[in-house]
Amino acid sequence: KQEVTQIPAALSVPEGENLVLNCSFTDSAIYNLQWFRQDPGKGLTSLLLIQSSQREQTSGRLNASLDKSSGRSTLYIAASQPGDSATYLCAVRRSNYQLIWGAGTKLIIKP
Amino acid sequence: GAGVSQSPSNKVTEKGKDVELRCDPISGHTALYWYRQRLGQGLEFLIYFQGNSAPDKSGLPSDRFSAERTGESVSTLTIQRTQQEDSAVYLCASSPGTGSDTQYFGPGTRLTVL
């Protein structure tokens, strides 16, 4: 059974720091992995999607990596800003359409 | 353009009552998902609709939960005889369809069962 774990559960850092969020999964037979951002009352927004054949994806200050063999993904945020404060969720897709979700990391960027 | 909308945004009900949650997907999206998110936890898959195919109901936690979708438009999630453990945020997402991995989420309905 696929399980997705995100560490840490919460993180608070000063503005401007680079930071890494971690996601691990137990079954390496995944179709892809996605990182989402969740803002209160606003639903989820997809940030990055990494196909199983890819190693990383970049969008602006965000970089996500994928190591299937070790069952790990990281989301790197460069030069963090207060507007980055949100909960970040990772989800892995199995061969069907279902996503298995981590519990998220709540990130607070202090001005 | 309009995104996914859900109503109501908040619902407080008494234990034992029935509730109905609504989702309006993005126009033209053939795939629609319902998820449940309990406090501090990840999303749990509930049900998936794809076009006119039979829905995948494998995530529904009990027979008190049911969902319908009218064609490729609005969907309703119904919870009968609500229990306190049903308290959660219920999220709906739509997708252009098979072959697309991108899901567009609504803002969710926060359900509180007293």
Side-chain angles (χ1 to χ4, degrees):
Chain A
K1 176 184 175 184
Q2 178 72 275
E3 294 181 359
V4 180
T5 304
Q6 291 187 247
I7 295 174
L11 181 64
S12 180
V13 300
E15 177 180 5
E17 283 199 6
N18 303 324
L19 57 99
V20 174
L21 307 181
N22 297 294
C23 173
S24 61
F25 46 96
T26 54
D27 186 348
S28 62
I30 65 170
Y31 190 78
N32 61 43
L33 182 145
Q34 300 184 59
W35 283 92
F36 292 83
R37 169 183 174 141
Q38 185 173 29
D39 293 280
K42 294 184 180 180
L44 281 73
T45 303
S46 179
L47 297 173
L48 291 165
L49 185 154
I50 311 175
Q51 301 291 352
S52 62
S53 58
Q54 297 175 324
R55 301 281 290 185
E56 66 177 346
Q57 284 286 332
T58 298
S59 176
R61 295 182 293 107
L62 305 180
N63 176 277
S65 67
L66 175 63
D67 184 342
K68 268 185 33 175
S69 60
S70 66
R72 294 179 182 178
S73 176
T74 61
L75 178 67
Y76 175 83
I77 302 177
S80 58
Q81 304 171 358
D84 295 330
S85 298
T87 296
Y88 290 81
L89 297 164
C90 75
V92 300
R93 179 182 161 181
R94 302 184 298 192
S95 57
N96 63 11
Y97 44 80
Q98 289 192 23
L99 297 178
I100 310 298
W101 297 77
T105 294
K106 184 175 182 179
L107 176 64
I108 297 174
I109 306 298
K110 297 175 289 186
Chain B
V4 178
S5 61
Q6 292 185 246
S7 61
S9 56
N10 281 283
K11 176 72 177 178
V12 180
T13 191
E14 295 180 347
K15 178 181 175 181
K17 300 279 189 180
D18 298 351
V19 295
E20 190 172 279
L21 312 180
R22 178 186 171 106
C23 171
D24 283 273
I26 293 173
S27 178
H29 281 193
T30 59
L32 187 146
Y33 305 76
W34 281 98
Y35 297 93
R36 177 172 70 179
Q37 185 178 29
R38 290 189 166 125
L39 186 64
Q41 299 185 21
L43 280 67
E44 301 171 69
F45 166 80
L46 295 178
I47 189 168
Y48 165 71
F49 295 91
Q50 172 55 53
N52 295 317
S53 302
D56 177 353
K57 303 179 180 181
S58 61
L60 295 178
S62 78
D63 58 7
R64 296 186 296 104
F65 288 71
S66 62
E68 299 293 332
R69 187 180 185 192
T70 306
E72 294 184 352
S73 61
V74 65
S75 175
T76 55
L77 176 69
T78 301
I79 309 174
Q80 296 178 312
R81 306 181 301 282
T82 52
Q83 304 294 313
Q84 288 184 333
E85 61 263 28
D86 299 334
S87 296
V89 175
Y90 290 82
L91 291 158
C92 172
S94 71
S95 172
T98 54
S100 172
D101 290 312
T102 303
Q103 296 183 26
Y104 298 83
F105 282 80
T109 294
R110 180 175 297 278
L111 175 66
T112 303
V113 182
L114 302 177

